[in-house]
Amino acid sequence: MRGVSAETLYPGNTALYVERGGSFVWSGLVWTVEPDYAGGTATLNAEGWLSYYKTRFLEDDQVFRQVDQAEIARSLLFYCTRHGPGSDIGVELGTETTGRLRDRTYLGSERKQIGEAIEQLSAVIDGFDFSFDSEWHAGRVRTVFRVHYPARGRDRGMVLEQGRNTDIPAATIDGTALVTAVTMVGADNDDGTGPVTVSRSVPPIRTPRLEAVETHADVTERSTLEEKAGHRLRLGTTPVTLPRIELYPEWPGFREVMVGDLVTVRGGYGLYPIDGQWRVTERAIEVDKTGAERIRVTVATPEVFQ
């Protein structure tokens, strides 16, 4: 590890950028370092920028009435940036709007986790995608929080086909999240009658009745619970198919496959055919000692994000 010291790899205070072909394919924060003294190497364990905001909490009441959901997300991050010494980690905020106005109340007494609040805000019906994009700008690296709406991903018009540009060695068909009836439990009513509760169901067609109960102790609005219930029911209508995909390194198109993109996946011939549109949730590139690459892509059905 030439030129590397404990000071330059200080966990919690080191940003890691992975650049390939002139663009950043990943960036985030180093949280743990595992030095191998015998081998002279170190393993870095890092997470995306949202991991930092999951260490920060709202200590003051934040009330939003009919505010664009993108502006609510930015306001939460801005609060984090300005609250306490050492709070500004240099992430810039975009200016996107969605046209979808929402009401949200976060009480300081509840110490709401900021990262979780943004995830929950984005995950409701008609929500949004968000990203922390690292890029070169005016000779320096900057990271910008951006909101993407509608939350459907960028359709690349790309086909990942087994035997042509990818291998699909296996897949998981997961029915553990199937549900036909859901109850959402929110915060306590002001009148002392207990928590706000919303129940929704759909007629079982291919399964017996399957129930789920979720608690959202920070949600006070019935409309928000109704959105969450509808979203959960949609997710639970069919099993989730998760193909394991390995791209051919020599295929030039892998440089265009980015997290969030929509791609068509075809394969699984003869056993459990796979042919449909999936959304890229993760890319992993491994390089062995000879320089050979192994590129894995994780995908999920678009319905998970709607």
Side-chain angles (χ1 to χ4, degrees), residues 14-230:
T14 300
L16 177 65
Y17 302 89
V18 180
E19 187 181 14
R20 197 175 194 282
S23 61
F24 293 100
V25 297
W26 189 89
S27 64
L29 295 172
V30 175
W31 290 111
T32 65
V33 180
E34 301 174 7
D36 181 344
Y37 299 110
T41 63
T43 299
L44 309 182
N45 297 304
E47 295 184 45
W49 295 96
L50 189 66
S51 64
Y52 171 73
Y53 298 102
K54 289 186 175 182
T55 72
R56 301 297 305 280
F57 300 84
L58 295 171
E59 299 182 15
D60 305 297
D61 294 351
Q62 302 293 307
V63 180
F64 304 92
R65 291 289 179 262
Q66 291 300 285
V67 177
D68 191 289
Q69 55 188 350
E71 182 58 31
I72 295 176
R74 282 193 295 270
S75 295
L76 295 176
L77 293 181
F78 184 78
Y79 171 92
C80 177
T81 300
R82 294 294 181 263
H83 193 76
S87 292
D88 190 351
I89 61 173
V91 172
E92 301 178 22
L93 303 179
T95 59
E96 305 83 12
T97 58
T98 68
R100 184 66 163 86
L101 307 182
R102 299 196 185 276
D103 298 335
R104 287 294 185 275
T105 298
Y106 304 99
L107 300 178
S109 59
E110 296 174 347
R111 293 296 193 270
K112 182 66 177 179
Q113 186 191 89
I114 293 175
E116 182 184 56
I118 292 174
E119 284 182 321
Q120 292 175 345
L121 180 65
S122 70
V124 298
I125 294 175
D126 204 24
F128 57 90
D129 293 333
F130 63 89
S131 62
F132 292 85
D133 300 326
S134 293
E135 58 198 18
W136 288 107
H137 178 75
R140 68 178 182 90
V141 179
R142 70 173 184 178
T143 299
V144 184
F145 171 81
R146 293 191 173 103
V147 169
H148 310 279
Y149 180 85
R152 293 183 55 83
R154 179 180 56 169
D155 191 345
R156 301 296 297 165
M158 184 179 296
V159 179
L160 305 181
E161 186 171 358
Q162 184 174 358
R164 184 170 69 89
N165 51 28
T166 186
D167 285 328
I168 306 178
T172 300
I173 316 301
D174 189 353
T176 58
L178 289 172
V179 64
T180 63
V182 61
T183 297
M184 295 288 172
V185 181
D188 287 340
N189 282 296
D190 294 335
D191 57 9
T193 57
V196 181
T197 303
V198 169
S199 295
R200 295 287 183 271
S201 65
V202 294
I205 298 176
R206 303 181 65 179
T207 67
R209 180 179 175 92
L210 299 170
E211 300 175 337
V213 176
E214 295 184 6
T215 299
H216 300 274
D218 59 322
V219 176
T220 59
E221 302 290 338
R222 177 173 293 274
S223 60
T224 301
L225 290 176
E226 289 174 345
E227 290 180 346
K228 289 183 177 294

Side-chain angles (χ1 to χ4, degrees), residues 24-27 48 129-133 146 148 152-156 158 160 247 253-263 278-285 295-300 305:
F24 293 100
V25 297
W26 189 89
S27 64
D129 293 333
F130 63 89
S131 62
F132 292 85
D133 300 326
R146 293 191 173 103
H148 310 279
R152 293 183 55 83
R154 179 180 56 169
D155 191 345
R156 301 296 297 165
M158 184 179 296
L160 305 181
L247 301 180
F254 82 87
R255 294 182 178 87
E256 303 300 322
V257 181
M258 303 299 292
V259 172
D261 288 350
L262 289 171
V263 296
W278 271 263
R279 190 165 181 194
V280 178
T281 60
E282 182 181 3
R283 295 193 314 166
I285 303 175
I295 306 163
R296 294 197 305 269
V297 174
T298 302
V299 297
F305 302 93

